[in-house]
DNA sequence: ATTTAATGAACGAGCGTTCGCTCGATATTG
DNA sequence: CAATATCGAGCGAACGCTCGTTCATTAAAT
């Protein structure tokens, strides 16, 4: 006679969405400040604008909040990317623009990206692969652009080089987020984009 | 009337070192498995081979253990690097060797590096800068090699490009550690070193 | 005998989670 | 149109437990 087994499906969908959004927004604020582990469920409830009891009407475990947060952040990043990046063009310029735009997104969502990076590991065995897969999807966006470029003869890379290069772009973008303690002292975002693009595309050899 | 204020200075230096080493060794094992937050002080004590009471004879707070662990891991990585890398030569080959060796060290100390990466943020306001500084020292090793190369006319990079490139090498090394879930499916360590070196040095433009 | 090292039971703050209750809104009845 | 019954979102005190930390006691060393 489990009383509260599937509360969500019974409740009004609109309300559930609204409450979840409140939760995610409040939780992200807190996680940015103190991280997942240091944040208590009571704090999340308070920041969401309702009580601890109500919080548990919409989740089963504290970890569920983390999952919702990570999910949302990935969607946010991916949406912004898809909105602005053209993966079909396949010329050098659209690659440069994609890199620049991605770096800017990472910069805008610095805290969010940092949160995800530092806390994703705390996700359970089920949620983690789901989230990591979302990351691979984003790497695949760069892979696609690169493939088009190779197809158009802009440069030559084999399949495995493309994959690694896409990972590099992705990670060096994140680097702007998780190493800002060192990088912000040295570069503005624009400088970072410029130099990084140059290093990525031209390498260091044979330059005038 | 603080009784146990400075226990270390009173106790036998040899013993303190020995106990600390036991602690670090035990703690690293546990942190690798479960992370810092999920690891209990009692577990650390047990893994170190003594009791919870004894543990607190050699530290004041749980966080102290994390500090000791991070400190040790950095020293370990740096020692191995210094032991094998020649920063004075300044030719292309010694740069390649340095990259390859660094990547190998990251591979050997995968778990340790991962631990540090994921847990360093839990360090207090005092210890964190100290640890981050150790990281900058390692980046500086690559900067030195690069400077020598530039000095020898191997390639041309300005000061800021050198700094960023050094960060890139450092982070792309760590990438092998913290993105192994994706990368190990695609590359062996040797392949990773080879392709990454090529991409770093030659870039992607103008290749035959 | 005195000092130093080691111990682990005891403490208590803080945590995630639960569940009996409230109370306004809605539906039903007379 | 009341009067009444039903519903369920919202609530927060209370529970059970974990964990970091302490300290009185014992054992070992000098």
């Amino acid at each position: 006679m489990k009383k509260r087994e599937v509360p969500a499906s019974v409740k009004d969908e609109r309300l559930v969405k609204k409450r979840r959004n409140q939760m995610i927004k409040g939780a992200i604020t807190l996680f940015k400040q103190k991280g997942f582990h240091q944040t208590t469920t009571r704090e999340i409830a308070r920041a969401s604008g309702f009580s601890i009891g109500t919080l548990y009407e919409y989740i089963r475990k504290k970890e569920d909040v983390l999952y919702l947060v990570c999910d949302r952040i990935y969607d946010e990043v991916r949406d912004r990317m898809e909105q602005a990046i053209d993966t079909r063009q396949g010329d050098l310029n659209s690659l440069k623009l994609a890199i620049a735009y991605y770096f800017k997104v990472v910069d805008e969502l610095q805290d969010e990206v940092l949160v995800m990076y530092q806390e994703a590991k705390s996700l359970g065995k089920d949620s983690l692969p789901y989230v990591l897969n979302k990351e691979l999807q984003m790497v695949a966006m760069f892979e696609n652009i690169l493939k088009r470029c190779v197809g158009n003869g802009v440069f030559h890379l084999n399949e495995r080089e493309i994959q690694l290069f896409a990972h590099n772009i992705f990670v060096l973008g994140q680097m702007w987020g998780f190493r800002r303690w060192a990088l912000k002292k040295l570069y503005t975002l624009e400088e970072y984009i410029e130099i990084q693009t140059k290093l990525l595309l031209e390498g260091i050899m044979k330059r005038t």
Side-chain angles (χ1 to χ4, degrees), chain A residues 148-165:
Chain A
R148 303 261 177 183
C149 287
V150 170
N152 292 347
V154 179
F155 41 72
H156 300 295
L157 291 175
N158 64 36
E159 181 67 21
R160 333 188 65 198
E161 289 170 334
I162 288 176
Q163 288 181 318
L164 188 55
F165 196 75

Side-chain angles (χ1 to χ4, degrees), chain A residues 125-187:
Chain A
K125 293 288 171 218
D126 299 332
S127 342
L128 187 56
Y130 174 83
V131 170
L132 293 182
N133 183 53
K134 288 210 165 191
E135 190 157 317
L136 284 184
Q137 281 174 243
M138 294 192 46
V139 174
M141 289 181 63
F142 288 113
E143 280 179 31
N144 285 332
I145 300 176
L146 292 169
K147 272 180 204 158
R148 303 261 177 183
C149 287
V150 170
N152 292 347
V154 179
F155 41 72
H156 300 295
L157 291 175
N158 64 36
E159 181 67 21
R160 333 188 65 198
E161 289 170 334
I162 288 176
Q163 288 181 318
L164 188 55
F165 196 75
H167 274 277
N168 285 359
I169 296 173
F170 192 73
V171 166
L172 292 179
Q174 288 171 166
M175 176 170 123
W176 178 250
F178 65 65
R179 286 178 84 79
R180 45 180 145 151
W181 54 272
L183 296 174
K184 283 237 166 155
K185 288 178 193 161
L186 301 171
Y187 316 99

